[in-house]
Amino acid sequence: CRARAAAAMSRAPREAVRPEERAGGDADKYYDREVTEAYTELNVRTQSELTTRCLDMLCLEGEARDAVLLDVGCGSGLSGETLTRQGYRAWVGIDASAAMLERATRGRSASKRTADEKEPPADDAREREDARAKGKNKNETPPARGAVLRGDFSQGLPFRAGAFDGCVSVSAAQWLCVWTRGKRGRKGGGDENDDDVHFASAAVRENLSRFFAALRVALRPGACAALQVYPRTVRETAAFEEALARVERMRGTAVVAFPHGNASKKLFVCARRDDDDVVDDDDD
């Protein structure tokens, strides 16, 4: 099964290694149903570990499980399943791929859960159901509820001001650094020239600034975001930090962490809405 999944993931041209460099930088086009199924099958544990580390970096205080979280680039729902398993009150995911979101709404069957993701024993579940039926544990926190919507988060986030207590993102925010000639309205072909490079840099800066400005609005004052990313270069890492610096009342930095219990390191961009405890309803 893993061999078939790996074969599906390698269907793209050899010279286009990274997902965001394939299919002309179009996530919806690249992540068709076959690639989506392969990605989901291969990344269950990795996504769970990365999401857990993102949650650690949010530094949620008090009744953390009451938090409503945003999942940027939620994909096929693996990160959302981690949020649900850990008992957060609600989460909302946004992604550009229709196939990924279709997979997210179906979830994974119990037979495909990893050993550390087993459902609670049937006896415990029955006891909770009996207690609820008898009117006990009325203050018990309900299980997390997730919802997903299709959207290009590089163009903004369609949420009301102060809607979220935190934001996580796993293996998605590097799509903000994608630029192709097609996005400039040119026909493909030809070598990259200096004009293309300058335009690409400006386009990426605009994407990042627009995203972080929208994220600041969507977060409640004082809330944090943890975005696990795969930048191509140190320059792209710096671009994330520079974009954060350009957004008023947001601050953040790139952080290296080891979320997998081995020597494999990952980069996270951590940010905080840093202003008074008042939601500005006039924010756009």
Side-chain angles (χ1 to χ4, degrees):
C1 184
R2 284 186 173 271
R4 289 198 302 273
M9 291 293 287
S10 64
R11 289 188 298 118
R14 291 181 180 274
E15 64 272 14
V17 177
R18 297 164 64 94
E20 62 270 21
E21 295 171 344
R22 300 171 179 172
D26 187 335
D28 185 48
K29 185 180 295 183
Y30 173 66
Y31 285 109
D32 58 17
R33 288 184 177 180
E34 185 177 359
V35 173
T36 291
E37 291 294 337
Y39 179 90
T40 304
E41 179 69 21
L42 289 172
N43 288 282
V44 174
R45 186 177 296 277
T46 298
Q47 287 267 325
S48 176
E49 291 172 347
L50 292 172
T51 305
T52 298
R53 182 52 58 93
C54 284
L55 290 171
D56 291 342
M57 291 180 172
L58 293 186
C59 300
L60 293 169
E61 300 176 352
E63 296 296 327
R65 294 302 187 270
D66 289 337
V68 178
L69 302 179
L70 172 61
D71 184 359
V72 171
C74 62
S76 59
L78 295 177
S79 49
E81 288 186 2
T82 301
L83 301 180
T84 297
R85 243 187 354 265
Q86 297 203 19
Y88 288 89
R89 182 161 64 93
W91 58 270
V92 178
I94 182 171
D95 201 276
S97 169
M100 281 283 196
L101 295 178
E102 179 187 11
R103 189 68 179 82
T105 59
R106 287 192 282 123
R108 289 184 299 120
S109 64
S111 63
K112 291 187 178 180
R113 294 180 184 274
T114 58
D116 59 341
E117 296 179 307
K118 291 180 180 178
E119 294 290 345
D123 290 343
D124 291 348
R126 279 196 294 269
E127 287 179 7
R128 287 197 299 272
E129 285 297 323
D130 290 343
R132 279 194 288 268
K134 295 176 182 179
K136 297 179 180 179
N137 297 333
K138 291 182 179 180
N139 295 324
E140 183 179 283
T141 302
R145 297 182 180 275
V148 296
L149 65 92
R150 186 180 177 190
D152 181 356
F153 55 83
S154 72
Q155 299 304 306
L157 297 169
F159 305 109
R160 67 175 175 80
F164 298 103
D165 301 299
C167 170
V168 300
S169 179
V170 175
S171 309
Q174 66 270 8
W175 285 84
L176 293 165
C177 298
V178 170
W179 173 80
T180 65
R181 287 178 178 80
K183 290 186 177 181
R184 191 180 182 184
R186 291 186 178 185
K187 294 182 179 179
D191 295 328
E192 185 176 65
N193 56 39
D194 289 342
D195 184 52
D196 289 330
V197 172
H198 292 318
F199 181 86
S201 298
V204 169
R205 285 197 300 271
E206 183 179 351
N207 278 351
L208 290 169
S209 295
R210 181 168 51 238
F211 170 75
F212 282 119
L215 180 61
R216 188 197 72 80
V217 174
L219 293 175
R220 66 166 175 76
C224 296
L227 319 174
Q228 184 271 315
V229 299
Y230 291 106
R232 290 178 300 175
T233 63
V234 174
R235 186 172 297 177
E236 281 193 357
T237 301
F240 277 96
E241 294 183 315
E242 291 166 1
L244 275 168
R246 289 192 295 270
V247 178
E248 290 187 24
R249 293 177 289 178
M250 280 286 278
R251 62 176 177 172
T253 189
V255 177
V256 173
F258 298 84
H260 302 303
N262 55 31
S264 178
K265 64 182 180 181
K266 293 293 189 296
L267 187 79
F268 296 77
V269 175
C270 299
R272 181 178 186 271
R273 177 171 175 173
D274 188 23
D275 55 2
D276 295 333
D277 192 19
V278 176
V279 174
D280 185 357
D281 292 326
D282 293 331
D283 283 326
D284 294 325

